[in-house]
Amino acid sequence: MVDASSGRAPPAAVFALMLNAFVWGVSWWPFRVLHERGLHPLWATALIYVVSLVLLLAVRPRAWRSFANEPLLWVLALAAGLTNVGFNWAVTVGDVVRVVLLFYLMPAWSVILAWPLLGERPTSMSLVRLVLAMAGVIVVLKRPDVQWPVPESIADWLAIAGGFSFALTNILLRKMKGVDAPSRILAMFGGGAVSAAVAGLVALSLGLIAAPPAPSFGWVGVGIALSLGFLASNIALQYGASRVNAHTGALIMLSEVVFASVSSVALGAAEMATRTWIGGAMILSAALWSAWSPAPAKAAAQ
């Protein structure tokens, strides 16, 4: 928990959240390595979460039993699965910084989703933040050679959809805070594995992606290492998020944008145009403002 005597978050919790942000921020690179070796990010995502799922069930074999009494766990599985499908596919094929910025519209989607799902009525300031974030998206998407600032590639659409699903995932986690952690983690891992596998099979049947290559050390080793990295990051998130307040956690998690930007620009996987800087600053300002703002009041019962 937060240190009551100093008001500061425990260093171990801060480090745990930074580790989670780092893994997600640089995950684009191993996904691209796997893609270059013939493994599409949908198959890679399925592999990652199957490995994590097996390890979790080996430690907590009864975690699945809560699914019979908690229907929202199935919704959480779907939301978490779509988050991973959208983000992992987008950062593999798109401009990494652009993808991460569009993904981090998550606070804006939270304003829209929190009212019907949590009863948190949006305040005037939350609506201003929503407008600021959306204006930032318009700046990022508006290129000199296009008339309308709309998503122009599959990476753009995947990033936006992934961010929406991520917002839904976080709201569902808040709504189900009384459900035991292993069951929630199982839902997220299972959703990641099943959603990616189903999306892969559909895309394969439509001729959009190739079948996974035969197993070889060239990609299996990278895939297993990435699986362990995501498993460690999820454990770190569960540890850190439960020991810092929501504002601190949100601010620390924004460091993912820094990790992704620095690594992708350094390795030539992103273009930092002026509009990206300006629009990105607007989106991140809305996210930071959201992180520092008090929680909205619950809507009055009808």
Side-chain angles (χ1 to χ4, degrees):
M1 295 298 178
V2 176
D3 188 340
S5 62
S6 64
R8 291 179 297 182
V14 173
F15 175 79
L17 291 178
M18 290 288 288
L19 174 63
N20 180 75
F22 174 79
V23 170
W24 278 94
V26 302
S27 64
W28 65 270
W29 180 67
F31 273 113
R32 291 198 176 194
V33 171
L34 291 171
H35 199 210
E36 291 169 357
R37 297 179 182 180
L39 190 69
H40 191 275
L42 288 177
W43 305 129
T45 300
L47 170 65
I48 288 168
Y49 284 104
V50 164
V51 172
S52 298
L53 197 59
V54 169
L55 293 175
L56 175 63
L57 288 174
V59 176
R60 294 293 183 93
R62 299 189 178 187
W64 61 270
R65 293 190 174 184
S66 296
F67 280 73
N69 302 318
E70 295 289 346
L72 279 180
L73 283 171
W74 296 99
V75 183
L76 175 63
L78 178 61
L82 294 178
T83 298
N84 283 279
V85 167
F87 182 81
N88 296 343
W89 192 348
V91 293
T92 303
V93 301
D95 180 287
V96 175
V97 173
R98 182 182 173 98
V99 164
V100 172
L101 289 175
L102 294 176
F103 183 80
Y104 263 92
L105 272 175
M106 185 266 292
W109 301 134
S110 296
V111 172
I112 297 171
L113 293 170
W115 191 356
L117 295 178
L118 297 176
E120 295 179 354
R121 188 187 301 273
T123 64
S124 57
M125 287 298 97
S126 65
L127 294 176
V128 172
R129 292 193 295 270
L130 176 61
V131 171
L132 177 61
M134 291 302 181
V137 171
I138 290 174
V139 173
V140 170
L141 294 179
K142 181 65 176 77
R143 302 173 70 100
D145 54 340
V146 297
Q147 184 176 4
W148 298 102
V150 296
E152 60 183 31
S153 67
I154 188 174
D156 287 352
W157 286 109
L158 288 168
I160 292 171
F164 182 87
S165 299
F166 187 39
L168 179 58
T169 298
N170 286 334
I171 286 177
L172 289 171
L173 286 172
R174 288 170 58 193
K175 193 174 182 68
M176 294 189 295
K177 58 185 178 183
V179 179
D180 59 290
S183 296
R184 285 180 282 141
I185 297 173
L186 177 63
M188 296 174 73
F189 285 173
V194 174
S195 295
V198 170
L201 290 172
V202 171
L204 178 64
S205 67
L206 296 175
L208 300 176
I209 67 173
S216 69
F217 182 77
W219 67 262
V220 171
V222 176
I224 292 176
L226 186 57
S227 300
L228 296 177
F230 271 101
L231 178 61
S233 76
N234 196 288
I235 293 172
L237 175 63
Q238 297 288 335
Y239 175 86
S242 64
R243 288 166 173 79
V244 302
N245 61 52
H247 294 179
T248 301
L251 290 171
I252 294 171
M253 290 307 297
L254 281 174
S255 62
E256 178 187 334
V257 179
V258 177
F259 291 129
S261 300
V262 172
S263 61
S264 60
V265 171
L267 295 176
E271 173 194 358
M272 293 302 291
T274 302
R275 68 175 186 282
T276 306
W277 285 106
I278 296 173
M282 296 169 72
I283 294 171
L284 293 181
S285 295
L288 287 168
W289 189 359
S290 176
W292 278 111
S293 300
K298 293 281 186 180
Q302 300 296 319

